[in-house]
Amino acid sequence: MCNSNVKSAGVAQIDGRPVLQPAGNRVAAPEATRSLKKSLQKSLSMPASFDNNVAATATTTCAPPRPAPENTRAASLLPPATPASVTARATKVAAEKTRSKATRKPGAVLPVVTFAALEAFEPAAAGSIAAAQREHVAQAQAQRKMRIAHYGRTASFSRVEGRVGATATATAPAAVGDSVPASPTGHDEKRCSFITPYSDPLYVAYHDEEWGVPVHNDELLFEMLTLSGVQVGADWTSILKRRHVYREAFSGFDVDAVAKYTEKQMASLSADFGLDLGTVRGIVNNACRILEVRRDFGSLDKYVWAFVNNKPLSPSYKYSRKIPVKTSKSESISKDMVRRGLRFVGPTVIHSFMQAVGLTNDHLVSCPRHRACSSAAAAGGRVN
């Protein structure tokens, strides 16, 4: 009687003595009436109806029919029987899904709105945007043509360089009011490709009458050497427009007269004609150095033409992009001039000087002036 009371109060006996056991070691008595299924439902905290519905759906749609259990313990683990109405409804839904998949066309897609239909909503807006873009491009091209017209660069080329495109010729900007004088040969499209319908007429005349023609006059050689030096950082068109200013300021480029300019005269020229004082001093210095060249070689003409053995160079360029800004010959001439004390005579300046006075014939072979300058070099005179 005492032992049973002790055991019921949580006290065990070890070697005949009572020992109090902690609560964690106590094991609850098993419940004989609790089934395995109810224990699982309680541990998962799911209602019995949800478990039955899920089991019924899985059994109807996916799982194959299971054989009858062989013992009563396995029978107690199976879910309860699914009603016939639920099974029939699930079977009907599965059949409809299968039938819809079988009847669907492989290339069938949902109808979408085409681009044509979208454009139909706002045709005016789309047209105005395209027109604005075309107008913007046209204005940009016109501005570019006007900018390059001042520098004598090519607006557009065809595949054969030297022929300006017909579109560029037909769409000359209205701002360029002066007309280009006709070429003596009547073939404007065959000029050097840097001459365009938008080039300044003064620059075109210089190309057709002076550029590349052999020069043997000391005053003209001094003039072109000076203009080539002051052209650095500018362009030939602006220099040619101020050509008369330089001629008036430097006594027609008379070497003897310019070499005698005093410091007061140089300051007066700089103020009266708007010329840089350093440039004026450099030109007067070059005149003094040319007098020394005359004493050594007899004339400036003999000095410069001796570098090419009195025969113009003829590279026969086919494309303007092949024309260099300086050559080995211009570098050698520049070094000799610098050694003699001349200023503004770098290799690029000297190459421009050589092109201007005909020491090299850099007209393109497609230009009529190439043949004319070659003939003038053979005759030893100027071309009219």
Side-chain angles (χ1 to χ4, degrees):
M1 183 67 178
C2 183
N3 292 341
S4 62
N5 292 336
V6 174
K7 291 183 179 179
S8 61
V11 180
Q13 288 186 359
I14 300 177
D15 295 335
R17 292 184 298 176
V19 178
L20 183 63
Q21 296 291 328
N25 292 343
R26 299 172 188 173
V27 181
E31 298 180 5
T33 59
R34 181 182 298 178
S35 63
L36 179 60
K37 178 182 177 183
K38 290 183 178 181
S39 300
L40 293 176
Q41 289 177 355
K42 186 176 182 180
S43 63
L44 296 176
S45 300
M46 292 184 179
S49 59
F50 177 82
D51 190 21
N52 293 337
N53 294 337
V54 172
T57 305
T59 304
T60 306
T61 57
C62 301
R66 291 180 292 182
E70 298 179 357
N71 50 38
T72 57
R73 180 178 177 82
S76 64
L77 297 177
L78 292 176
T82 305
S85 59
V86 177
T87 304
R89 188 182 303 110
T91 306
K92 183 178 180 180
V93 172
E96 289 179 356
K97 290 183 179 180
T98 306
R99 189 183 305 109
S100 62
K101 291 182 180 180
T103 56
R104 184 182 299 174
K105 296 181 180 180
V109 294
L110 294 176
V112 295
V113 181
T114 60
F115 289 103
L118 291 176
E119 293 177 357
F121 287 104
E122 294 180 343
S128 61
I129 293 175
Q133 290 177 348
R134 288 194 296 269
E135 183 179 359
H136 177 72
V137 172
Q139 291 178 356
Q141 291 179 350
Q143 293 176 359
R144 177 176 176 271
K145 291 175 182 177
M146 293 178 64
R147 287 197 303 268
I148 64 179
H150 182 69
Y151 296 98
R153 299 296 180 183
T154 304
S156 61
F157 297 102
S158 61
R159 291 186 62 85
V160 180
E161 194 166 357
R163 295 177 176 270
V164 181
T167 304
T169 306
T171 58
V176 183
D178 298 332
S179 60
V180 179
S183 172
T185 59
H187 297 286
D188 293 346
E189 70 280 4
K190 290 185 178 181
R191 282 192 179 110
C192 293
S193 57
F194 50 83
I195 298 296
T196 74
Y198 315 104
S199 298
D200 190 277
L202 186 62
Y203 184 71
V204 177
Y206 171 73
H207 167 272
D208 291 346
E209 298 173 6
E210 295 186 60
W211 196 68
V213 177
V215 175
H216 298 281
N217 180 272
D218 279 9
E219 283 71 21
L220 189 54
L221 288 172
F222 179 38
E223 177 183 358
M224 299 313 299
L225 182 62
T226 301
L227 296 181
S228 299
V230 299
Q231 186 263 341
V232 176
D235 60 280
W236 268 110
T237 302
S238 59
I239 296 300
L240 291 174
K241 288 181 179 180
R242 291 178 54 84
R243 190 174 186 177
H244 65 283
V245 175
Y246 288 99
R247 284 178 174 175
E248 183 179 356
F250 296 103
S251 304
F253 290 99
D254 184 352
V255 179
D256 296 321
V258 174
K260 296 178 182 179
Y261 281 2
T262 63
E263 185 66 27
K264 184 177 181 180
Q265 287 178 311
M266 288 187 283
S268 177
L269 288 177
S270 175
D272 296 341
F273 295 94
L275 302 177
D276 180 69
L277 182 58
T279 301
V280 175
R281 289 173 176 169
I283 295 172
V284 174
N285 172 78
N286 287 349
C288 297
R289 305 287 81 78
I290 290 174
L291 292 179
E292 297 175 0
V293 170
R294 281 181 173 179
R295 288 194 293 268
D296 295 339
F297 294 89
S299 65
L300 179 62
D301 170 54
K302 292 181 179 180
Y303 168 71
V304 296
W305 280 95
F307 287 100
V308 294
N309 295 325
N310 297 316
K311 184 178 181 181
L313 305 177
S314 183
S316 300
Y317 296 114
K318 294 182 179 180
Y319 308 104
S320 61
R321 64 175 181 270
K322 297 294 185 180
I323 302 177
V325 296
K326 62 180 180 179
T327 60
S328 59
K329 183 63 67 175
S330 69
E331 290 178 351
S332 62
I333 297 175
S334 172
K335 289 180 180 179
D336 190 79
M337 287 187 172
V338 170
R339 183 178 61 85
R340 294 179 180 275
L342 276 78
R343 299 175 60 184
F344 312 123
V345 288
T348 303
V349 172
I350 294 302
H351 185 66
S352 179
F353 168 72
M354 294 174 63
Q355 293 173 321
V357 300
L359 291 174
T360 178
N361 184 4
D362 281 357
H363 285 280
L364 302 182
V365 293
S366 59
C367 180
R369 298 298 301 168
H370 183 275
R371 186 167 51 255
C373 291
S374 299
S375 302
R382 289 181 58 88
V383 177
N384 297 325

